[in-house]
Amino acid sequence: MTARPLAGADRWSVPAPVLSGSLLTDAEALRAYTAEAEKLLGELPAKPDRDAGQQQLAAEVLADQRRLRSAFLELHVERVYHALTGGLREQRSLSELVFAAAEAFPGLTPTEAQLAAERECGQSDKDGREIDQGIFFHWVLRSPQAGPHLMRAMLRPTQRARSLLGEFSRTGSLQLGTVRLELIDRAAHITLCNGRFLNAEDNQLVDDLETAVDLALLDDRVKVGVLRGGKMTHPRYQGRRVFCAGINLVDLHQGRISLVDFLLRRELGYLHKLIRGVQVDDAWPRPLVEKPWVAAVDTFAIGGGMQMLFAVDHVVAAADSYLSLPAAQEGIVPGMANLRLTALAGGRLSRQVILSGRKLWAREPEAGVVCDEVVDPKLMDASVDAAVDRLASPAVVPNRHMINLSEEPMDRLRAYAAEFALEQALRLYSPDVIDKVDRFSAGASSDRRNGSVS
C-alpha cells in the first residue's frame, strides 16, 4: 500500500498497519487508519468537482482502505459476526447487520450517515461506499459458521409481513404499493403492478414482493402461489400484461438502486424464499414453510424477471412472449442466473443468453429449459388455473423440497452469493456500467426509457 506522488494533489502517505491477529488490536488499527483516510477524503471536493489528481488520490485512498478491510475480515470475520449477533443468538437483516458493524467496528463498513449522503448523488457522483458493504458480505457469506447463520436469518418473514398477516387473513387481498396480493380459492396471486415502468424492479418492488411472498407462505389457506405481471399504463404496452422489465436503469443512473436493500436482499430474501420457504421457528416437522409456485409470463420476462422463473416450480408462457438476461448490455451480474440457468440449460446456452444477450422466444425449443408450457395468449388464465390445480396436491411440497435440495444445496448457493456480493458491488461502480446507464438515461429508445426493455 505504498503511496505514489500525484500531480496537483497531496500524497496519501499513511502506512497501512500490519494486522496482529488480535481482534481488539486490529480493530483499533483499522479505526485509526480509516479515520486518517476519511479525514483526507473530507478535505477533497465532492467527486464531480475533483481534478484528475484529486480523483486519483481519492481512488487510492478508497482502495487502500478496502484492502485493509478485506484483510481484517479474512482474519476476524467469525468473531466479528459473533459480536454482532450475540454469539449467533440474534438474527439480523442485511441492513441491520451492516450498520451494526459500522457502529461496533468503526471503519469496517460505511455508517448510515455516509450511505445517506451518497443516496443524494447520482451513481456517477458517488465514491462507491457500497463496495465496502460488498466486501463485508463477501467474507460473512464465505464463513462456514457466519454464512449459514445469515442465510437462515434471511428466510425469516419480514416485520412488515407479520404486521399485515391479520389484515390479509380477514380480507383476502392487499395492495402493497407496486404489488397486489389476492387469495383466489387455494392460490395466492401476486401481481406486479409497477405499470408505468413496465414492472421494472426497484427498491420498493423488492420490498413489496418479499412482503407478498411472506404472506402467501404464512397463510394456511394458501396452497400454491402465482406470480404474474399486471396490465400496463406505459404508452406502448397500454392495457397489456407484462411480466417484468428487469432492473430500473433510470433508478440506477440516479443512484437509487441499493446493493443491500435491492441486489442482495432480492437474492437472499424473496427469491430464496420461493425455493426454500419462510422460516417459522415453531413449525413442525421443519422450521421452513414451503409452497409450490407458478409463474405466468406475458409479453416478456427480462433480467430480474427471467431470474424469477428459475426459482418457481412451473412456468406458463404466452406463445408471443420472450425471455432475456441483458447482462452484457447493462454491465452487471444477473443475480443467481449464472448459477441457476447453467444448472437448467448447461454452459453453452447460458453463455449465449448471459454473455451475448440472446433472447429466447417462448416458442423456441431452447426456451423449454425454462418454460414448462407455451400456450396461446388467450389461454393463459385457464393454463395458470390448471397448473395451480396440479400443484395443490399434498405430495408436491415434500417432493419439491427434495428436488430443491438436490438441485441447489444451501452451501452451493452460499458460495455463489459470497462471490456475487463483491462482484456486483464492484460492477455497480465500474466505469462501463456508469457510462451505459448515463447514456441510457440521456437518450435511450422509448422501449427502454422506463425499464430495461430491449
Side-chain angles (χ1 to χ4, degrees):
M1 298 184 191
T2 57
R4 297 189 294 275
L6 296 167
D10 293 332
R11 292 181 59 191
W12 167 237
S13 56
V14 179
V18 177
L19 299 179
S20 68
S22 162
L23 177 61
L24 292 178
T25 301
D26 291 347
E28 174 55 28
L30 173 68
R31 184 206 63 76
Y33 183 78
T34 56
E36 286 295 318
E38 291 301 323
K39 180 181 177 183
L40 188 151
L41 289 172
E43 293 170 355
L44 293 175
K47 185 177 179 181
D49 301 324
R50 296 171 190 161
D51 62 30
Q54 292 167 336
Q55 294 280 19
Q56 185 180 349
L57 174 61
E60 290 192 358
V61 172
L62 290 164
D64 284 353
Q65 290 185 83
R66 287 165 185 157
R67 291 187 188 98
L68 181 60
R69 289 174 180 126
S70 187
F72 176 86
L73 285 165
E74 186 174 12
L75 282 175
H76 300 298
V77 65
E78 292 200 346
R79 282 171 286 181
V80 167
Y81 191 82
H82 268 252
L84 299 177
T85 59
L88 305 182
R89 291 187 299 273
E90 302 170 14
Q91 294 183 317
R92 290 185 155 185
S93 69
L94 298 175
S95 58
E96 289 170 344
L97 190 65
V98 78
F99 288 133
E103 291 186 11
F105 298 92
L108 182 57
T109 59
T111 65
E112 291 191 64
Q114 288 173 322
L115 263 293
E118 287 226 320
R119 279 196 295 270
E120 299 299 314
C121 304
Q123 196 71 6
S124 61
D125 294 338
K126 298 181 181 184
D127 277 323
R129 300 283 185 179
E130 290 178 305
I131 293 173
D132 301 294
Q133 295 180 320
I135 293 169
F136 176 79
F137 285 115
H138 169 73
W139 287 106
V140 168
L141 288 164
R142 282 190 62 169
S143 162
Q145 189 175 73
H149 186 272
L150 177 58
M151 297 284 284
R152 289 192 298 271
M154 289 301 295
L155 293 176
R156 295 176 305 154
T158 64
Q159 184 57 47
R160 184 185 179 200
R162 290 191 189 101
S163 69
L164 291 171
L165 182 59
E167 182 180 350
F168 181 58
S169 297
R170 289 192 306 273
T171 65
S173 66
L174 288 173
Q175 184 65 45
L176 302 168
T178 59
V179 168
R180 185 172 65 252
L181 173 64
E182 299 173 283
L183 178 65
I184 302 175
D185 295 328
R186 297 171 292 177
H189 289 253
I190 298 175
T191 305
L192 283 63
C193 301
N194 200 8
R196 189 164 63 93
F197 297 100
L198 299 176
N199 286 334
E201 295 179 295
D202 52 27
N203 284 17
Q204 183 64 52
L205 184 63
V206 168
D207 184 65
D208 294 341
L209 270 173
E210 184 166 12
T211 302
V213 168
D214 283 351
L215 289 166
L217 289 167
L218 291 171
D219 192 302
D220 292 337
R221 299 170 297 176
V222 175
K223 304 305 177 187
V224 181
V226 177
L227 296 169
R228 194 173 185 183
K231 293 182 178 180
M232 298 295 99
T233 57
H234 185 287
R236 180 163 182 178
Y237 299 91
Q238 181 76 38
R240 291 177 58 186
R241 283 185 182 267
V242 164
F243 189 69
C244 178
I247 192 170
N248 189 319
L249 295 179
V250 172
D251 272 13
L252 179 56
H253 165 72
Q254 294 176 351
R256 296 199 298 259
I257 295 296
S258 164
L259 173 71
V260 169
D261 291 326
F262 180 151
L263 294 165
L264 295 182
R265 178 180 172 183
R266 76 186 293 273
E267 304 302 334
L268 301 181
Y270 83 85
L271 287 178
H272 195 201
K273 288 172 178 177
L274 292 176
I275 296 171
R276 303 278 179 192
V278 70
Q279 180 176 300
V280 180
D281 292 332
D282 59 353
W284 191 90
R286 292 188 304 271
L288 291 171
V289 176
E290 301 180 44
K291 291 172 185 178
W293 291 88
V294 176
V297 179
D298 301 277
T299 310
F300 50 71
I302 298 174
M306 186 175 181
Q307 293 165 41
M308 291 183 212
L309 308 183
F310 307 147
V312 303
D313 302 286
H314 192 86
V315 176
V316 181
D320 58 354
S321 65
Y322 69 86
L323 321 173
S324 71
L325 291 168
Q329 295 93 319
E330 295 167 353
I332 58 177
V333 180
M336 303 295 167
N338 307 62
L339 174 70
R340 291 174 178 151
L341 181 60
T342 303
L344 290 169
R348 190 52 50 201
L349 181 59
S350 297
R351 282 172 169 80
Q352 294 172 19
V353 173
I354 295 171
L355 305 184
S356 301
R358 175 181 172 181
K359 288 183 184 179
L360 289 179
W361 289 92
R363 60 180 177 270
E364 292 183 77
E366 291 86 348
V369 299
V370 180
C371 303
D372 298 282
E373 292 182 76
V374 178
V375 303
D376 185 297
K378 297 176 181 177
L379 300 178
M380 285 291 288
D381 291 349
S383 298
V384 169
D385 291 343
V388 167
D389 288 341
R390 290 193 298 272
L391 292 179
S393 167
V396 166
V397 170
N399 279 289
R400 78 181 293 275
H401 175 76
M402 301 309 294
I403 289 171
N404 287 331
L405 283 177
S406 173
E407 283 190 336
E408 191 176 283
M410 183 77 86
D411 279 347
R412 184 177 180 218
L413 175 62
R414 178 173 62 84
Y416 181 97
E419 299 306 310
F420 172 76
L422 182 55
E423 290 295 340
Q424 191 72 304
L426 294 170
R427 286 278 78 210
L428 279 180
Y429 294 94
S430 61
D432 63 300
V433 169
I434 288 173
D435 179 64
K436 286 170 183 173
V437 297
D438 285 352
R439 285 189 285 110
F440 166 82
S441 185
S445 69
S446 59
D447 279 3
R448 291 180 59 87
R449 187 166 303 278
N450 292 320
S452 55
V453 183
S454 59

